[in-house]
Amino acid sequence: MSFQVHHPQSVADAIALSQQFGDAGRFIAGGTDLVIQINRKRQTPAHLIDLNRLDELAGIAQTPDGFAIGALATHKAVERHPPFQDALRGLVEAARVVGGHQVRNIATVGGNIANASPAADVVVPLLALDARVSLVGPRGARTLALGDFLLGPGRTAREAGELIDCIHIARLPQRSATAFLKAGRRKAMEISVVCVAARLTLDDEGRCAAASLALGAVGATAMRAGEAEKALVGRVPDDAALRDAAQAAAAACNPISDVRASARYRRLLVEALVPRALRICVTRIREGRT
Amino acid sequence: MRNPLTLTINGEQHDLLIEPHWTLLHVLRGQIGLAGSKENCLEAECGVCTVLLDGKAVNSCILLASLCAGRSIVTIEGLGDPEHLHPLQAAFVKHGAVQCGYCIPGMILTAKSYLDEHPDRMPSRDEIREAISGTLCRCTGYQKIIDAIAAVAAERAGKGAQEDAP
């Protein structure tokens, strides 16, 4: 194990270092995944570029239409952010099931996205919220949909020298709610077997004005269940509508069998968790926690 | 090649020469001689290496030491001493929360971080369980550890300790 650690003081310097080192360089924020991968010799970077001194990547800011979550915002910061406790509750629920407190205190949202694990928890509600990823790099800044940023296990659309600046999410309309559910072998300190995030907006007649469903750990990347969303829009979210959405989501996902669960079991979990997450959204909207 | 690094540990500045791949745990135990932070899984699963970084519990076993420059590090040695126990240390003694003791430094710092994060309210026993879920004890079954943490939390919240629901 031998690498050098660099501590750039500006985003421009971090980008320049990343360009200089190319594939031999890796950005490091909390390092809760990367350091373990290095210790297991699954990653052998010659250079680590420490992002922790780049204050402009930290914090969660209000924007005219929503929020900008800095790449260095920790899972704990998302979990505890007061404006996220109501309509964006699904984001809080995902942030608080990642690792133990010790990991959440240092592991960043930007790192979770850049890692592109198919089982990343916070990515799933972000996908359901139509999150957009802002990148800065040698050729300037660009923003793309989170769904377009994630290409496969460990693979993203990040280009050489680019780093994640922040993640944008829009404020939700009135009568909206989100929920996140995770199935693992135990409650805490667990990688998801399946996780589901739902976002629902009801109109004044109680019909689904908008619906969004995202699934984790059932495909190469976290994914949206578009057919399931279509099955909901315009309908009252009754048992029949939720069942249709659950079946469409189970049909759309593409799970594998591995050490944690069989593909069949994962599909059954999707079918069970999707209506449960939607019901939580309906309850939250009715209780006015939006 | 070793690089210079200044770390603030338990309020004291330490000027060190470190290898880039050394973790904070390695530096604490091997360079400073603070062996209260324990070494076990080295993958942030068990929590015995927990220290406070700017007041927040982190796993020192996977934290590169060079990322800690300019930040405040507190280990169990910085929390109290035998004459002046921290309230959590006193409560662990009073409630008999310690058996082999290996997890206890991490357990106490995990609890301190959590209680400091929630200063104004009495957490439920379930919340305390969740708070220490990243710190494993293989001896006690956790009951007395939770008793001790709940007692300190109750003292802070200014009311009697909550009883466990049956």
Side-chain angles (χ1 to χ4, degrees):
Chain A
M1 189 160 34
S2 79
F3 52 77
Q4 281 183 285
V5 188
H6 306 266
H7 306 281
Q9 304 290 333
S10 72
V11 169
D13 288 350
I15 291 167
L17 286 167
S18 176
Q19 265 194 303
Q20 182 189 334
F21 301 136
D23 288 343
R26 284 290 305 262
F27 291 120
I28 183 165
T32 51
D33 190 76
L34 183 57
V35 173
I36 291 174
Q37 298 308 324
I38 291 171
N39 287 341
R40 290 180 180 173
K41 302 190 170 47
R42 288 186 191 164
Q43 299 257 357
T44 52
H47 300 274
L48 294 182
I49 304 162
D50 173 18
L51 300 178
N52 286 291
R53 299 182 189 182
L54 309 180
D55 290 340
E56 54 267 62
L57 305 185
I60 302 171
Q62 303 250 13
T63 61
D65 66 337
F67 300 93
I69 303 171
L72 292 182
T74 61
H75 284 69
K76 181 59 69 67
V78 169
E79 181 186 336
R80 304 274 296 157
H81 194 55
F84 290 173
Q85 304 302 317
D86 296 314
L88 296 171
R89 186 84 196 150
L91 200 49
V92 171
E93 289 168 329
R96 70 188 308 169
V97 295
V98 173
H101 282 259
Q102 295 97 318
V103 167
R104 302 208 287 281
N105 278 334
I106 196 164
T108 64
V109 174
N112 198 234
I113 291 173
N115 254 345
S117 160
D121 288 310
V122 171
V123 166
V124 178
L126 286 174
L127 203 57
L129 288 164
D130 295 320
R132 297 178 65 75
V133 181
S134 272
L135 298 152
V136 283
R139 288 186 291 172
R142 61 180 181 135
T143 300
L144 64 173
L146 177 57
D148 295 332
F149 180 73
L150 302 169
L151 299 181
R155 289 197 306 120
T156 69
R158 200 176 67 80
E159 288 174 3
E162 276 189 320
L163 63 86
I164 298 175
D165 169 31
C166 68
I167 299 99
H168 295 278
I169 51 174
R171 199 171 285 107
L172 295 180
Q174 291 292 305
R175 290 173 60 76
S176 300
T178 56
F180 173 86
L181 292 172
K182 166 173 177 165
R185 288 168 305 178
R186 55 177 176 153
K187 271 198 215 166
M189 299 285 293
E190 175 66 324
I191 293 173
S192 281
V193 168
V194 164
C195 58
V196 168
R199 164 171 65 84
L200 200 63
T201 303
L202 295 183
D203 65 19
D204 291 337
E205 278 83 53
R207 280 189 279 269
C208 300
S212 163
L213 287 164
L215 313 173
V218 289
T221 66
M223 59 180 284
R224 286 279 287 266
E227 290 301 315
E229 297 171 359
K230 278 187 214 154
L232 290 165
V233 175
R235 292 173 73 181
V236 172
D238 55 13
D239 287 353
L242 297 193
R243 191 169 55 240
D244 289 348
Q247 286 171 356
C253 69
N254 187 25
I256 57 166
S257 294
D258 66 8
V259 64
R260 291 192 188 89
S262 67
R264 188 174 120 76
Y265 181 57
R266 285 195 160 99
R267 221 180 273 279
L268 288 169
L269 282 173
V270 167
E271 198 170 334
L273 294 181
V274 162
R276 218 178 284 174
L278 288 166
R279 274 195 198 97
I280 294 170
C281 290
V282 171
T283 304
R284 287 180 177 168
I285 293 169
R286 289 199 180 132
E287 288 173 354
R289 289 190 60 188
T290 62
Chain B
M1 194 193 74
R2 295 195 178 185
N3 301 314
L5 175 72
T6 302
L7 291 180
T8 306
I9 301 163
N10 300 330
E12 259 179 61
Q13 278 208 357
H14 295 265
D15 295 316
L16 304 159
L17 279 174
I18 70 150
E19 293 282 346
H21 65 268
W22 282 356
T23 61
L24 179 59
L25 179 65
H26 182 97
V27 170
L28 289 173
R29 292 179 61 88
Q31 305 300 303
I32 318 275
L34 293 173
S37 311
K38 301 304 181 200
E39 182 176 305
N40 180 43
C41 77
L42 300 178
E43 297 208 336
E45 288 287 341
C46 78
V48 300
C49 67
T50 300
V51 301
L52 301 180
L53 182 68
D54 293 337
K56 292 178 180 170
V58 298
N59 297 110
S60 67
C61 72
I62 57 163
L63 179 58
L64 293 181
S66 68
L67 305 190
C68 302
R71 306 180 73 173
S72 157
I73 297 150
V74 172
T75 70
I76 193 68
E77 291 90 345
L79 208 58
D81 60 54
E83 283 74 45
H84 310 88
L85 293 179
H86 183 275
L88 275 164
Q89 293 171 317
F92 271 58
V93 172
K94 182 180 167 202
H95 288 267
V98 181
Q99 286 191 30
C100 91
Y102 203 75
C103 72
I104 298 300
M107 198 64 85
I108 286 178
L109 292 171
T110 305
K112 175 167 168 37
S113 172
Y114 179 77
L115 294 181
D116 289 349
E117 194 182 303
H118 301 269
D120 305 324
R121 48 182 282 276
M122 175 69 203
S124 69
R125 286 184 74 94
D126 275 352
E127 286 174 315
I128 294 172
R129 277 178 194 283
E130 195 281 328
I132 60 169
S133 62
T135 309
L136 303 182
C137 170
R138 302 289 80 168
C139 302
T140 64
Y142 299 102
Q143 295 303 330
K144 292 178 177 180
I145 290 173
I146 294 163
D147 290 345
I149 298 169
V152 175
E155 212 168 285
R156 286 190 180 194
K159 54 186 172 190
Q162 288 191 344
E163 293 306 315
D164 207 4

